[in-house]
Each structure stands twice: as C-alpha cells, then as structure tokens.
Amino acid sequence: MGRAIGVLAMEHVAVAVVEGARIAGPVRFFPDKGDAADTLRDVPGEEIAESIRRQAQLAAEGAEVTALGVGVPGVILEGVVAESPNLQQLKGLDLQRILKAAFPAAAIRILNDADTVAAGIAATRGELDRLVRVWTLGTGVGFGRYPWQPGMWEGGHCVVTLDPKERFCGCGGVGHLEGIMGHRAMRLRFLDLEPEEVFENARQGDERCRDFARLWHRALAAATATSIHFDGPGKFYISGPNARFVDGALLNMFLHEMVKMSPLQGSFLEVLHTSDEVAIIGAAVSAARGA
Ligand SMILES: [Zn+2]
C-alpha cells in the first residue's frame, strides 16, 4: 500500500507517515534534536531539500510514496519558495521539482506552513468540508486557510492601522498586523520589557501596557474583520506560542464592533494549541486530497 507523508520544515525538518488524520509511526527530525547545531538556520537550501527527500524515503520504509506534502514558512508560488524571511536560504528553491524528481509517482504539495496548520486542524477536527482559517502567533504572524486557494494570503501583513509610526513589522511595511502582534515587533516596541511582562503588567493595570494589550487585540480583530469582509464569516483558530496572550472575550467584543452587516455575522474565534504534528498531518492531507 502507498504512503502519504507529511513534512514541516521550520526549526527542523520533521517528517512522518500519515494515515487518515493521524501520524502513523515515528516523527523523524533533521538535524536530530539534541545535535550541537540543532536547527536549520545555517543549513543551505539544497541540503534542506535533500534532507526532506532522504527523511521521506526513510519514513516510507520501502513502500511507494503516493502523496508528499511539505509546509514551509514563506510565500510559495507553484511549488517554488518565492520568499522566506525566517529561512532565507530557501528563497528561489524549486522544492516541487526536486521532490517530483525523487518521487515521480507521488502527488507533491508545497504549502505555506500556516496553510498546513489550517489543513491539519480541519483534518483532526473533522472539518474538511468547512472553511477553516488560522492565525499563528509567533516571531511573526502567519495566516492559514483551508481549503487552499491560489493567492498570496499574506494575512499577517495586512494593514490594521494608518499610523505612520507603526513600523515594527519584520517585512519593513508600515501599519502591519505583525508589526503590532509579532514577538519580534513587541520586543522592538518595548525595549525594556519582554512580551510576557507587557501582558502581565497590563493585567496589573499599568496604563502603557494596558493600552498596548488593547491595541494588540484590536489589531487581531481588525485583521479578522478584513478576512470576513473579503472571504465571509466562519471559524477562526488562533494558535502558535503567543496565542497564550489572547483574551477571547476582549477579542470577540472588538470583532463585533467591526463586523455589522448581517450576512457577515456568525464568526467564531477559538484559541487552539497545535503541535508540529498537526502541521505534518495537514501537509500530508493536502497532498493526498490534491491528488
Ligand atoms: Zn509586514
């Protein structure tokens, strides 16, 4: 029987066989966790592609690979990594072509990592028949959508303020969501406080931090409202390490202030802690369903 394989290339290349909506067998990592140089940061792009190929081959254990999905941080255009701010050595890499040459019988799918998270949530929660959107809050801000549709979908960089002083986004753009919500951006804004301390101080009533916490939630509500006005209402998940800062009640209140037309009502926001496994499952499911 053929194998569907999911890959997430972020800190590591993480690879596993996926059956249905679950991981079957071990998750393989490159570089190995615990190695001296244990992240991909300094690994050349060609070598990352080769490790994906090799790990996928090992995971298949001699069986034919029928579907191979890969989640990569960045802008993916027809299987090519067009831009990857966090793994810059991947820029220009034609992963689709490289992996198709290695696995000619497989359906190959290269996706933005947030899209694999959205697909993984849809698969593991039985929502493959629905529109699932996810915000991933980490160093930057990702936006994932299932089902996948062609487009740029750089939701983390949508403009949520016209204040020209808002220029902390990693991409350099002014007024972006990531420039308010991204971990890196928060550290640039509060040079004297870590993001954890900002939210803790906000709870204690510190005025500057409380104002920022409200801005942070309003920014996410604004970006969600924009998605609703373009793409309709529905379910939004919030995941990633900084989802822990989300106050769901505050976020929903701001969202309701921003979305008033009746056909656009009925969206729902949920904080969901996802693991790498969810993205691996989403990558494999996307490749298998695209076949
Ligand atoms: Zn930006």
Side-chain angles (χ1 to χ4, degrees), residues 157 169 171 173 176:
H157 301 273
C169 191
C171 82
H176 290 190

Side-chain angles (χ1 to χ4, degrees), residues 37-100:
D38 72 342
T39 76
L40 291 179
R41 210 171 310 123
D42 303 317
V43 180
E46 303 290 337
E47 204 175 309
I48 292 175
E50 168 57 19
S51 77
I52 292 172
R53 187 200 65 73
R54 195 173 58 246
Q55 298 296 327
Q57 206 135 50
L58 288 170
E61 293 178 323
E64 187 179 36
V65 177
T66 51
L68 175 59
V70 184
V72 182
V75 178
I76 314 299
L77 294 176
E78 294 177 18
V80 179
V81 184
E83 187 66 72
S84 184
N86 295 314
L87 282 177
Q88 290 183 11
Q89 65 272 42
L90 292 180
K91 184 169 178 169
L93 195 68
D94 190 344
L95 265 181
Q96 176 85 30
R97 186 184 52 77
I98 293 168
L99 295 175
K100 191 69 190 170

Side-chain angles (χ1 to χ4, degrees), residues 248-266:
L250 193 60
L251 186 59
N252 273 301
M253 187 188 82
F254 288 142
L255 184 64
H256 285 127
E257 289 175 0
M258 293 172 184
V259 180
K260 288 298 182 190
M261 286 185 269
S262 61
L264 304 185
Q265 299 294 318

Side-chain angles (χ1 to χ4, degrees), residues 144-168:
R145 186 187 191 279
Y146 180 90
W148 181 85
Q149 282 204 326
M152 299 308 273
W153 302 107
E154 282 296 321
H157 301 273
C158 70
V159 175
V160 293
T161 168
L162 299 180
D163 183 345
K165 292 193 296 296
E166 287 293 343
R167 47 175 67 252
F168 294 120

